[in-house]
C-alpha cells in the first residue's frame, strides 16, 4: 500500500543537514520523493512552501532499537500509538525488538510487522528477527527464513544471550547470511535479580546491585567470539566506560564490532533513581557519572555508531511498584532528538555528527535505504528548530505510554514537522 | 520542635537535633513505663494500623504496646504475600487505608522503598518498620537510646557492626544514625556479606573480626539468615561461626566494658555464642526490647503532633 504522497512541497531557507550535505538552501519534494535540493530553487506551481527561520531539515530519524507493545502487550502501547509518538519525535523508520508475545521468531510475524508499519502511513517498521526461538536463549531460530521475510538483523531483545556456545553458533550462522547479531550486553548470572548499578547509591537504598563489570564481561567475551567466528556483533545500549574501551580497542584491531547507546546513558546518571523513582529504572541500569561522561565522549570520537531510543513502553501498573519489582524501561521516541541535541548544545558533539548518529549510521547498520538526503530518495524528512525549548512532562507526551525517565527535563530542540514519503505526518 | 517531617521513612537525612529530640522524648517514656503509669489521652481517638507484609511478632507487638500506652486504637493487619500475588497491589491497600481514616500507619515490607511508595499515596503519617534491605529506623533509635543510657553519650564511641551487613536494614539505619552522631563505625564480615562501596557511607570495613573489634565500645551483632548459606554467600554455619561468630575470645579484643547488642531474633551458635549473649555484664539485648517500646511511643507522639500542626 502506497499512501497518498501529498502535495509537492518546497522547503526554503532551511539548513539542510545529512551525511555529505550541509548547506542553507531549498529542498523540493515531488511525488513523495526528493526531487532536488540546493542553495536556491524556484517555486513550482502549486507547491506548498515551508519556511522556518533557523530550522534544520534532516532525513527522518532512523531509530534502530525500540520495543513495540504489539504483539502481546497492547495495554502498554499499540503500533498506532507508537507511530504517533515516533512522528512527533521526527522518526520515520524504526527497528522493532523481537521479544514480544509471541516473539518474532517466525517469518510470518516479520511480514506482519512490516505490513503493520505500512498501515500507519507514517512509520516504516524494520523488524529484528529473534536469535533464538521464543527469545528463550536455547536454540537458534530460523535465521535464514527470517532474513528472507525482511528481518534487518537478529536480536533477543532485552534478553542477553548468556551461553557462550549459543552466541558462537549465532555469530557463525548469521555470518553465512551476512547478518549481524545484536547483543544485550549484560552477563545474566552477574546481573540477575539486580535493580540498580552496584555501588554506594544501591547500598544506601538497599537495592540489589548490578556491577558495571557485567556489561564489560559480556562485551569482552563476544568480541572474542566475533574474532573466533568472523561474525559481526553489535552491542546495544552500551553504558559503561569499561565496555566502550573494549569496543574502541576491538575496532582498532579490525574486529567486526559495532554498538549503539540510548539517550538516558549520556544524559542521566544513577542519581535519577533518587528515592526509588521507578521511571528511571532501566535495563541496563543508569550508571555512575564517570560512565555517563564516557558514553557522551564516545558519541564524539566514533566509538558509538548510533543513538537509538531503546523505547520500552510500560503501563502505570508496571511502574507503580516497589523499585525492585517495577518493570525496567523508559519511553524514548518523542525525546530522542531533543536529548541527543543536549550533547550538541553543551559542546560535546558537533551537530552533523549528532544527526548522522540518528540517521545515516543506524540506516547503514540496518542495511536499509534511509537516513540520507538524495535526489530520488523517498522524502522521509524531519524539520526541527535546534534552539527552541520545551519541557518533558510524563502524562503529556504523544502516544500512550508515558514512562519517561526525563520527566521535568527542559530540552532545547523542537520537532516542527515530520514527513513520510512526502506526506506531512506531524506538525 | 526539631522533628519536622510528616513520616519516619529513614534515618538517612535526619539531622542530629531531630534524632536528639526523639531520644530525649523516648527517655521520658522509659521513666513513664517504669512507673507503671500511662498517658492514654495523648492519642485518644486516633487510629494506628500495623500493616505487616512480613511476619515479625516482636516489632509488631512493640508498636502495638506503644500505641495502646498512648491511648490509640490499634489495628493489626497482616497481609500475606498470597493476597498480594492475587493482584492486590500496594496502592490498592493504600486506598483501602485512606477510606478507613487511619492516622498512623506502621509498615513492614519485604521490598526496599515500599513504605516510601505508600507514603506518597496515603493520608496517614507513615512509619517504616523495616523495608527490604533498606532501613529500619526505630531499631536504630532504640539501639542509640540503649547505648546513650549505658554509656552516657554516643559521640566518640567506637561501634563495630558485625555480620550480614549486605542484607541488613538494621545495619544501614545504624550506620546513618551513628555516623551522624559522631561515632567511629566499623562494619565487620566476610566480603560476600558487606555491601559494595560501604566505606562511602562513612564507615571502615573489616574482614578480620579481631581487627574490627579492637578497642570497640559497642559490638552490634546481626542475624545471619539460613538462606544466605543456601545461596552460597557463606559456605557453612560452622565456618561462619569460626570466623565471624561472637564468642568470649573475640570479644576480648573489644574494650573491657564493651556492650554486646543484637536486634533479635538470635541464631545462637551461628552469629553469637550463648555465653556472650546471656552475660548480664556485657549483653544489653533484653534492654533493647524495653527501649523499643519507649522509642516507638516517642515516634508515634512526635508524628501525631506534626500531623495536628498540619491540620
Amino acid at each position: 500500500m502506497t499512501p497518498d504522497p501529498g502535495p509537492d512541497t518546497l522547503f526554503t531557507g532551511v539548513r539542510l543537514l545529512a551525511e555529505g550535505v550541509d548547506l542553507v538552501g531549498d529542498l523540493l519534494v515531488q511525488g513523495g520523493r526528493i526531487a532536488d535540493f540546493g542553495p536556491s530553487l524556484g517555486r513550482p506551481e502549486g507547491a506548498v512552501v515551508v519556511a522556518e527561520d533557523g530550522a534544520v531539515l534532516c532525513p527522518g530519524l532512523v531509530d534502530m532499537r525500540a520495543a513495540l507493545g504489539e504483539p502481546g502487550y497492547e495495554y502498554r502501547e499499540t503500533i498506532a500509538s507508537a507511530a504517533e509518538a515516533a512522528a512527533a519525535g521526527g522518526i520515520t523508520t524504526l527497528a522493532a525488538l523481537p521479544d514480544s508475545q509471541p516473539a518474532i521468531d517466525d517469518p510470518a510475524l516479520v511480514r506482519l510487522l512490516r505490513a503493520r508499519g505500512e498501515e500507519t502511513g507514517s512509520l516504516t517498521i524494520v523488524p529484528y528477527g529473534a536469535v533464538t526461538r521464543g527469545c528463550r536463549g536455547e536454540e537458534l531460530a530460523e535465521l535464514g527464513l527470517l532474513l528472507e521475510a525482511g528481518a534487518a538483523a537478529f536480536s533477543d531483545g532485552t534478553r542477553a544471550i548468556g551461553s557462550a556456545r549459543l552466541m558462537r553458533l549465532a555469530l557463525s550462522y548469521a555470518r553465512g547470511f551476512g547478518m549481524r547479531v545484536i547483543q544485550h550486553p549484560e552477563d545474566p548470572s552477574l546481573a540477575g535479580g539486580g535493580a540498580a548499578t552496584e555501588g554506594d547509591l544501591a547500598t544506601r537504598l538497599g537495592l540489589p546491585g548490578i556491577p558495571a563489570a557485567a556489561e564489560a564481561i559480556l562485551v569482552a567475551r563476544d568480541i572474542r567470539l566475533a574474532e573466533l567466528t568472523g561474525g559481526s556483533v553489535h552491542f546495544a545500549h552500551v553504558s559503561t566506560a569499561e565496555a566502550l574501551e573494549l569496543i574502541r580497542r576491538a575496532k582498532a584491531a579490525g574486529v567486526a564490532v559495532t554498538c549503539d547507546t540510548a539517550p538516558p546513558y549520556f544524559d542521566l546518571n544513577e542519581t535519577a533513581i533518587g528515592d526509588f523513582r521507578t521511571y528511571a529504572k532501566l535495563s541496563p541500569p543508569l550508571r555512575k557519572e564517570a560512565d555517563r561522561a564516557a558514553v557522551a565522549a564516545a558519541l564524539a570520537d566514533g566509538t558509538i555508531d548510533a543513538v537509538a531510543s531503546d523505547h520500552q513502553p510500560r503501563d502505570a501498573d508496571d511502574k507503580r511498584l516497589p523499585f525492585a519489582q517495577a518493570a525496567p524501561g523508559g519511553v524514548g521516541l518523542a525525546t530522542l532528538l531533543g536529548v541527543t541535541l543536549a550533547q550538541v548544545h553543551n559542546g560535546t558533539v558537533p551537530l552533523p555528527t549528532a544527526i548522522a548518529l540518528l540517521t545515516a549510521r543506524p540506516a547503514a547498520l540496518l542495511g536499509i535505504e534511509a537516513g540520507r538526503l538524495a535526489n530520488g530518495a523517498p522524502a522521509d524528512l524531519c524539520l526541527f528548530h535546534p534552539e527552541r525549548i520545551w519541557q518533558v512532562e510524563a502524562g503529556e507526551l504523544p502516544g500512550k505510554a508515558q514512562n519517561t525517565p526525563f520527566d521535568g527535563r527542559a530540552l532545547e530542540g523542537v520537532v516542527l514537522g515530520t514527513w513520510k514519503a512526502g506526506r506531512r505526518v506531524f506538525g | 520542635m526539631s522533628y519536622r517531617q510528616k513520616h519516619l521513612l529513614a534515618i538517612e537525612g535526619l539531622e542530629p537535633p531531630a534524632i536528639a529530640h526523639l531520644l530525649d522524648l523516648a527517655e521520658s517514656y522509659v521513666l513513664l513505663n517504669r512507673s507503671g503509669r500511662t498517658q492514654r489521652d495523648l492519642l485518644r481517638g486516633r487510629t494506628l494500623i500495623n500493616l505487616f507484609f512480613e511476619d515479625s511478632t516482636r516489632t509488631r507487638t512493640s508498636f502495638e504496646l506503644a500505641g495502646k500506652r498512648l491511648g490509640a486504637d490499634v489495628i493489626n493487619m497482616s497481609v500475606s504475600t498470597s493476597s498480594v500475588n492475587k493482584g492486590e497491589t500496594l496502592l490498592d491497600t493504600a486506598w483501602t487505608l485512606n477510606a478507613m481514616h487511619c492516622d498512623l500507619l506502621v509498615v513492614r515490607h519485604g521490598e526496599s522503598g515500599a513504605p516510601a511508595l505508600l507514603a506518597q499515596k496515603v493520608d496517614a503519617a507513615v512509619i517504616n518498620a523495616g523495608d527490604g534491605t533498606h532501613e529500619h529506623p526505630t531499631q536504630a533509635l532504640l539501639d542509640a537510646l540503649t547505648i546513650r543510657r549505658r554509656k552516657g553519650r554516643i559521640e566518640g564511641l567506637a561501634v563495630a557492626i558485625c555480620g550480614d551487613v549486605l542484607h541488613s536494614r538494621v545495619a544501614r539505619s545504624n550506620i546513618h544514625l551513628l555516623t551522624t552522631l559522631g561515632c567511629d563505625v566499623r562494619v565487620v564480615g566476610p566480603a560476600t556479606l558487606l555491601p559494595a562501596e560501604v566505606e562511602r557511607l562513612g564507615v571502615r570495613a573489616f574482614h578480620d573480626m579481631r581487627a574490627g573489634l579492637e578497642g570497640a565500645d559497642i559490638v552490634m551483632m546481626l542475624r545471619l539468615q539460613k538462606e544466605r548459606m543456601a545461596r552460597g554467600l557463606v559456605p557453612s554455619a560452622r565456618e561462619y561461626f569460626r570466623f565471624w561468630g561472637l564468642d568470649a575470645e573475640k570479644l576480648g579484643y573489644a574494650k573491657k566494658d564493651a556492650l554486646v547488642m543484637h536486634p533479635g531474633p538470635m541464631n545462637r551458635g551461628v552469629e553469637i555464642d550463648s555465653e556472650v549473649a546471656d552475660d548480664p555484664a556485657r549483653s544489653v539485648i533484653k534492654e533493647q526490647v524495653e527501649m523499643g517500646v519507649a522509642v516507638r511511643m516517642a515516634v508515634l507522639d512526635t508524628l501525631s503532633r506534626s500531623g495536628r500542626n498540619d491540620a
Side-chain angles (χ1 to χ4, degrees):
Chain A
M1 184 187 84
T2 308
D4 163 26
D8 294 351
T9 306
L10 179 72
F11 297 89
T12 179
V14 293
R15 182 175 175 186
L16 304 174
L17 193 55
E19 197 157 65
V21 178
D22 189 356
L23 61 100
V24 174
D26 300 353
L27 182 143
L28 178 66
V29 174
Q30 283 182 320
R33 293 183 176 271
I34 298 172
D36 197 6
F37 61 90
S40 183
L41 303 178
R43 179 186 171 182
E45 191 81 11
V48 174
V49 174
V50 177
E52 283 282 352
D53 259 3
V56 174
L57 185 68
C58 70
L61 307 190
V62 178
D63 181 2
M64 73 173 292
R65 184 179 177 88
L68 300 172
E70 291 188 54
Y73 301 101
E74 289 81 0
Y75 71 95
R76 290 173 171 165
E77 189 167 73
T78 60
I79 285 175
S81 84
E84 180 196 339
I91 297 162
T92 52
T93 303
L94 175 151
L97 291 176
D99 51 337
S100 47
Q101 188 59 41
I104 309 304
D105 61 358
D106 187 282
L109 291 167
V110 173
R111 291 192 190 93
L112 173 75
L113 274 185
R114 295 194 81 98
R116 293 296 309 278
E118 282 174 27
E119 280 170 26
T120 67
S122 65
L123 183 66
T124 299
I125 295 176
V126 185
Y128 286 119
V131 179
T132 63
R133 284 180 203 274
C135 295
R136 281 189 300 269
E138 290 162 8
E139 53 189 333
L140 288 185
E142 296 164 317
L143 303 191
L145 296 178
L146 292 168
L147 169 63
E148 271 187 351
F154 306 111
S155 155
D156 271 355
T158 56
R159 296 179 214 178
I161 299 160
S163 154
R165 177 182 170 275
L166 190 63
M167 188 62 179
R168 178 191 182 174
L169 287 177
L171 286 166
S172 297
Y173 192 74
R175 180 194 177 203
F177 293 101
M179 296 288 276
R180 266 190 188 79
V181 176
I182 296 178
Q183 174 69 292
H184 174 96
E186 188 173 59
D187 185 299
S189 70
L190 270 178
T197 289
E198 189 171 288
D200 62 322
L201 181 70
T203 290
R204 282 170 199 278
L205 294 174
L207 294 174
I210 299 175
E215 183 171 278
I217 286 169
L218 221 56
V219 165
R221 184 199 79 179
D222 289 353
I223 286 172
R224 192 69 193 82
L225 290 174
E227 286 181 294
L228 179 67
T229 59
S232 297
V233 65
H234 177 92
F235 299 110
H237 47 56
V238 177
S239 63
T240 62
E242 203 183 344
L244 286 164
E245 187 50 35
L246 289 165
I247 293 166
R248 197 173 280 128
R249 275 190 265 148
K251 284 185 162 187
V255 185
V257 52
T258 53
C259 70
D260 69 73
T261 194
Y265 303 110
F266 54 77
D267 194 73
L268 300 172
N269 64 29
E270 60 175 352
T271 60
I273 68 175
D275 290 325
F276 305 104
R277 280 191 61 236
T278 57
Y279 275 21
K281 182 182 179 185
L282 306 176
S283 175
L286 291 170
R287 304 294 189 182
K288 293 185 175 258
E289 173 57 20
D291 285 316
R292 185 209 62 77
V295 172
L299 293 174
D301 74 13
T303 305
I304 291 172
D305 296 279
V307 174
S309 70
D310 199 28
H311 178 74
Q312 295 284 345
R314 297 287 180 250
D315 184 65
D317 289 343
D318 298 327
K319 288 288 191 182
R320 278 193 296 221
L321 289 168
F323 196 88
Q325 293 177 345
V331 291
L333 300 175
T335 52
L336 175 61
L337 179 65
V339 181
T340 304
L341 288 178
Q343 296 300 320
V344 174
H345 294 303
N346 72 16
T348 306
V349 182
L351 181 60
T353 305
I355 296 305
L357 288 165
L358 293 166
T359 57
R361 294 195 200 163
L365 289 171
L366 294 166
I368 56 173
E369 287 296 316
R372 297 178 305 126
L373 293 184
N375 289 341
D380 291 0
L381 299 167
C382 167
L383 182 73
F384 67 94
H385 197 292
E387 269 103 39
R388 250 175 240 174
I389 292 173
W390 64 292
Q391 188 168 24
V392 181
E393 205 177 323
E396 301 295 324
L397 289 171
K400 182 163 188 266
Q402 298 291 321
N403 53 303
T404 175
F406 299 110
D407 192 19
R409 176 88 162 83
L411 293 177
E412 240 181 305
V414 170
V415 176
L416 303 171
T418 305
W419 285 260
K420 181 67 185 173
R423 201 170 62 90
R424 190 164 192 159
V425 294
F426 173 75
Chain B
M1 193 176 66
S2 48
Y3 190 92
R4 298 176 191 283
Q5 301 180 34
K6 183 183 177 191
H7 310 289
L8 177 61
L9 300 173
I11 296 291
E12 187 177 17
L14 290 187
E15 302 286 343
I19 297 169
H21 163 80
L22 292 171
L23 295 181
D24 291 346
L25 189 57
E27 189 85 52
S28 73
Y29 280 118
V30 174
L31 301 176
L32 183 81
N33 289 342
R34 287 188 178 173
S35 75
R37 289 179 290 123
T38 57
Q39 210 172 53
R40 294 193 191 276
D41 52 331
L42 196 74
L43 295 183
R44 189 182 305 284
R46 303 217 155 213
T47 304
L48 184 160
I49 296 184
N50 273 324
L51 180 63
F52 276 58
F53 293 87
E54 273 184 349
D55 288 338
S56 170
T57 308
R58 67 172 62 206
T59 302
R60 182 182 53 72
T61 309
S62 182
F63 271 108
E64 185 174 357
L65 203 52
K68 285 182 170 165
R69 284 194 181 155
L70 296 176
D73 298 322
V74 182
I75 295 158
N76 293 318
M77 287 175 65
S78 291
V79 187
S80 68
T81 45
S82 64
S83 75
V84 175
N85 290 340
K86 277 175 198 156
E88 176 167 314
T89 66
L90 206 52
L91 299 183
D92 292 333
T93 309
W95 289 320
T96 309
L97 293 169
N98 279 343
M100 291 175 180
H101 301 292
C102 160
D103 300 296
L104 293 155
L105 180 64
V106 175
V107 184
R108 159 70 60 98
H109 198 283
E111 290 286 343
S112 301
L117 180 63
L118 265 176
Q120 292 169 11
K121 305 289 174 184
V122 296
D123 305 327
V126 175
I127 298 147
N128 179 3
D131 62 328
T133 57
H134 177 224
E135 285 223 33
H136 191 351
T138 57
Q139 178 72 41
L141 288 165
L142 76 86
D143 288 342
L145 183 61
T146 308
I147 294 169
R148 199 174 78 169
R149 287 172 57 86
R150 282 296 189 112
K151 294 288 181 189
R153 64 186 170 115
I154 293 175
E155 189 178 351
L157 296 178
V159 183
I161 302 175
C162 307
D164 184 4
V165 179
L166 178 62
H167 298 96
S168 177
R169 50 196 175 212
V170 174
R172 283 172 180 73
S173 287
N174 266 308
I175 288 169
H176 294 308
L177 192 150
L178 296 168
T179 54
T180 300
L181 295 188
C183 291
D184 161 25
V185 180
R186 309 98 175 258
V187 294
V188 183
T192 49
L193 292 180
L194 296 185
E197 299 181 1
V198 68
E199 294 89 346
R200 296 186 63 172
L201 275 61
V203 304
R204 289 185 289 155
F206 292 87
H207 307 309
D208 176 349
M209 193 155 179
R210 292 172 183 86
L213 260 53
E214 186 76 47
D217 297 286
I218 309 289
V219 180
M220 213 176 253
M221 299 308 298
L222 301 171
R223 179 178 166 78
L224 181 77
Q225 291 181 355
K226 288 204 178 68
E227 72 174 79
R228 309 304 172 212
M229 279 169 283
R231 286 184 51 211
L233 293 170
V234 285
S236 70
R238 69 175 188 178
E239 175 153 324
Y240 186 81
F241 184 69
R242 172 83 178 77
F243 291 96
W244 297 283
L246 185 67
D247 55 17
E249 189 269 327
K250 294 194 196 85
L251 185 57
Y253 286 81
K255 282 193 184 145
K256 282 201 177 67
D257 60 349
L259 301 178
V260 174
M261 306 179 77
H262 193 296
M266 286 182 282
N267 285 313
R268 293 165 183 269
V270 179
E271 72 262 3
I272 193 162
D273 191 63
S274 286
E275 187 195 352
V276 174
D278 302 332
D279 178 356
R282 312 301 292 272
S283 168
V284 292
I285 295 168
K286 281 179 192 145
E287 199 171 321
Q288 287 175 271
V289 178
E290 183 192 357
M291 295 306 121
V293 177
V295 154
R296 283 156 187 143
M297 289 169 80
V299 169
L300 297 176
D301 179 349
T302 301
L303 293 185
S304 70
R305 283 175 206 276
S306 58
R308 266 172 296 201
N309 292 345
D310 288 348

